[in-house]
Amino acid sequence: MSESRRREFNFGAGNPAPEVFPARALGEAAQRVLARSGKELARYPDARGVPELRAIAAERFAHVHGPRPPIDDIVITNGSTQGLQLSAQGLARPGDAVVVEEFTYSGTIRVFRRNGLQLVPVALDDEGMRMDALAEVLERQAALGRTPSFIYTTATYQNPTGTTQPLERRLRLLELARRHRVPIVEDDTYADVSFEPLTEPALYKLAEPGEVLYLSSFSKILGPGVRLGWLMAPQPMLGRLLGWKIDGGTSGLSQMIVAEYFKEQLWEHVEEAALAVKEKRNVLLDALEVEFGDMGMHWTHPDGGLFLWITLPAAVDRQRLQRLATERGIVYATGQAFHALDQDVPYLRLSFGWIAKEDIAEGVRQLAECVRQSLPAVV
Amino acid sequence: MSESRRREFNFGAGNPAPEVFPARALGEAAQRVLARSGKELARYPDARGVPELRAIAAERFAHVHGPRPPIDDIVITNGSTQGLQLSAQGLARPGDAVVVEEFTYSGTIRVFRRNGLQLVPVALDDEGMRMDALAEVLERQAALGRTPSFIYTTATYQNPTGTTQPLERRLRLLELARRHRVPIVEDDTYADVSFEPLTEPALYKLAEPGEVLYLSSFSKILGPGVRLGWLMAPQPMLGRLLGWKIDGGTSGLSQMIVAEYFKEQLWEHVEEAALAVKEKRNVLLDALEVEFGDMGMHWTHPDGGLFLWITLPAAVDRQRLQRLATERGIVYATGQAFHALDQDVPYLRLSFGWIAKEDIAEGVRQLAECVRQSLPAVV
């Protein structure tokens, strides 16, 4: 195996920057909180989660979007993935239609499909879900005598595209949902990874109680390995979801430690984590400009989150590209993984949280070579 | 509020003894392993679990039942509850029949029902599931042209009854399952809480590969708050379950800490934990003899596990009993909670892991008073 094959350029999964992971501080928090409250772990955790962590979730919402929600509306989950699972179970039934962005998180697609839901895609542009397209989809469903069970959207730093819906689009989304009496599931998992001050309010904040279910996570500001997310809704919506949370609870050990750590260091760590990812985004954007600038390609310029979405030239042989990239240790996610109807589309997603900053430029240079080698020879 | 009302006698949930919970050692393990491998938590955990904890699961099976299974057959879950969930999804479809003990874990009933499964009960006696009754149930299903998706059994220290199937019954169970081509889901969650050397081998050990799915847990030897269980099966059975494990993984933080702790102290802690519970069982059996001996009641004498099952006199007004007990701060679980068909039956389950040893005799004395006060006056 040659040296160049062994080097890895991992633009794959949506992970935060490992170099700022607070391993030592978390270890100290663990020792403190276990000495104080460890015996609590000898019984089942509250299905809604540990109060201290729910309070931090409330504080985080208040800080980013304000005002502070009551912790009674908040439930800790096993990552936001469990929030998706509970949405599918509590708000829909197998066979139901749910509206999603045309390109959306592959984990969401997997969970919704496994629950027997039919995904109805709505086109995106550089400002997220298109409202003319949504209006059309909802009208068409209504004409068929159907009401989708919910609209799932990542309005801020969308996965995979990195786009953010501006305020007027959010207001229009709420108006359409209200008119058609369809609840919204807002996935706000990436909102804390902000490169500029976040100016768009959450849909949850703009909505009337019960119109929006809010999903969030500690995965993107701390790490997916702690498997802690949270969801928020008032009653009776919350109860519809909680009835499906029959897992015996989310790890009390994880919750306890993360709450103890964030109690002191939430915003300090969030800022440090976002800054580390922002610097990588900057390096990535520069590298794309250098390597792809003359190839007539398009990519998004995210203000936050972990992802950037590249439109490939239609003529690229995507199987060949994937093969060449894999040979060089370049990992990215294909457009198809995010397509609501599983179509092979000319896009790829680069994640820039996990990869070392020093590897980005070289990874993009090699990726560009692979793209060129995947284009048909000029005849 | 009077003093006697404020005291609590908690014979409720199936928790281990909190006084032996190793809070300090776990805190030290956390600090060690986070310093060494904390950054791993900045990415998604392997869906199958952390190798170190899977190795401990293998070691535990080898020690209790032998021989050592390959860790490729082991998957870490969010408590054994997720193992139940994956069984329902991977081995059955909504509407399918599954065979269960007439009285079985309420969490199992909840999970199977939520997955749309139809529970077919088999009678129990002091040696667990009755094989004549199972044979009859399977014949009846066959006559209806149906094959149950699986047989769920807790062969060792059954929940709620505390009974254990002797070897010949286990062999007969395997024979019946084989003849009817029905897989077995063996819930061995309690096998580590042993008061005598465990002489009955696991069904998994007696079976051919693929006949039994094995579920276990770290909840009963450590604490349910860590939310760590595990399941074991060879391929292709394991793959059928793993396809449904789309939760983004089980807490890597929990797994890492528990593996680091058990690496050194598994059997030392298991022995200490079982001994603490055994002493409470002894106190409970003595107290029952003293308080209930003259009332013509029957209770099981478990050799392990966390539960004891009491048959109430049929004439007891069970609603009244529950009310009186609650007034005195006595918590127990009703027979109905464990009945596969949700029938109100004259039993109650006492858990003896959580309650303080000093409170047991007084709790039983007060419970006996409540039972007497719930009997009709002699006319």
Side-chain angles (χ1 to χ4, degrees), chain A residues 10 13-24 26-28 30-31 34-35 37-45 78-79 81-82 85 89 105 107 110-111 114-115 219-220 222-227 240 243-244 246-255 257-258 354, chain B residues 10 13-24 26-28 30-31 34-35 37-45 78-79 81-82 85 89 105 107 110-111 114-115 219-220 222-227 240 243-244 246-255 257-258 354:
Chain A
N10 192 340
N15 297 318
E19 62 275 16
V20 298
F21 188 84
R24 180 170 301 277
L26 218 55
E28 284 159 11
Q31 202 158 32
L34 278 163
S37 316
K39 285 192 193 310
E40 275 304 303
L41 300 173
R43 58 174 158 181
Y44 284 88
N78 191 72
T81 308
Q82 190 178 35
Q85 176 65 34
Q89 293 173 308
Y105 172 44
R110 199 179 307 127
V111 169
R114 275 290 188 184
N115 281 279
S219 290
K220 306 308 172 188
L222 188 57
V226 302
R227 303 309 305 128
R240 288 173 67 187
W244 289 94
I246 53 173
D247 60 355
T250 297
S251 172
L253 180 55
S254 262
Q255 290 187 69
I257 295 170
V258 171
W354 177 265
Chain B
N10 191 341
N15 298 318
E19 61 275 17
V20 298
F21 187 85
R24 179 170 301 275
L26 218 56
E28 285 159 10
Q31 202 159 34
L34 278 163
S37 317
K39 286 192 192 309
E40 274 304 304
L41 300 173
R43 58 174 156 180
Y44 284 89
N78 192 69
T81 307
Q82 190 180 34
Q85 176 65 34
Q89 293 174 307
Y105 172 43
R110 198 179 309 128
V111 169
R114 275 289 189 184
N115 281 277
S219 289
K220 307 307 171 184
L222 188 57
V226 302
R227 303 311 302 127
R240 288 173 68 187
W244 289 94
I246 52 173
D247 59 355
T250 298
S251 172
L253 181 55
S254 261
Q255 290 188 70
I257 296 170
V258 171
W354 177 265

Side-chain angles (χ1 to χ4, degrees), chain B residues 297-316:
Chain B
M297 284 164 63
H298 175 263
W299 54 88
T300 54
H301 291 68
D303 291 332
L306 299 164
F307 313 110
L308 180 149
W309 187 240
I310 298 182
T311 315
L312 292 168
V316 162

Side-chain angles (χ1 to χ4, degrees), chain A residues 132-267:
Chain A
D132 57 332
L134 175 64
E136 224 180 282
V137 159
L138 291 174
E139 305 276 311
R140 209 165 55 228
Q141 291 285 315
L144 294 167
R146 298 174 64 174
T147 305
S149 293
F150 57 81
I151 299 165
Y152 170 79
T153 184
T154 307
T156 299
Y157 314 142
Q158 206 255 359
N159 183 1
T161 63
T163 56
T164 295
Q165 290 172 21
L167 178 61
E168 63 269 37
R169 216 173 258 209
R170 292 173 191 241
L171 294 172
R172 176 82 176 128
L173 170 53
L174 285 165
E175 186 193 314
L176 285 168
R178 200 170 290 148
R179 186 188 311 156
H180 288 269
R181 298 174 176 277
V182 183
I184 294 170
V185 176
E186 175 178 31
D187 188 339
D188 205 30
T189 295
Y190 307 102
D192 299 299
V193 189
S194 248
F195 310 146
E196 311 296 336
L198 179 62
T199 50
E200 308 307 337
L203 291 162
Y204 191 86
K205 193 194 167 187
L206 298 169
E208 296 297 319
E211 291 183 332
V212 175
L213 168 71
Y214 184 86
L215 304 183
S216 188
S217 180
F218 297 104
S219 290
K220 306 308 172 188
I221 52 173
L222 188 57
V226 302
R227 303 309 305 128
L228 291 173
W230 51 285
L231 59 82
M232 177 165 64
Q235 295 291 357
M237 188 187 249
L238 190 67
R240 288 173 67 187
L241 274 80
L242 255 184
W244 289 94
K245 197 171 187 306
I246 53 173
D247 60 355
T250 297
S251 172
L253 180 55
S254 262
Q255 290 187 69
M256 209 178 245
I257 295 170
V258 171
E260 177 74 12
Y261 168 69
F262 274 147
K263 196 172 66 178
E264 304 290 343
Q265 287 156 95
L266 180 59
W267 297 113

Side-chain angles (χ1 to χ4, degrees), chain B residues 181-207:
Chain B
R181 298 174 174 277
V182 182
I184 295 170
V185 175
E186 175 178 31
D187 189 339
D188 205 30
T189 296
Y190 307 102
D192 298 299
V193 189
S194 247
F195 309 147
E196 312 297 335
L198 179 62
T199 51
E200 308 306 338
L203 291 163
Y204 191 86
K205 191 194 169 188
L206 298 169

Side-chain angles (χ1 to χ4, degrees), chain B residues 36 116 235 349 369 376:
Chain B
R36 200 171 67 232
Q235 294 293 357
R349 187 193 78 174
E369 274 183 28

Side-chain angles (χ1 to χ4, degrees), chain B residues 5 20 24 59 72 90 92 94 108 118 136 182 202 206-207 297 303 309 312 320 325 344 355:
Chain B
R5 277 196 61 192
V20 298
R24 179 170 301 275
E59 152 71 13
D72 278 354
T108 301
Q118 192 199 325
E136 224 182 281
V182 182
L206 298 169
M297 284 164 63
D303 291 332
W309 187 240
L312 292 168
R320 182 170 160 80
D344 180 13
I355 190 170

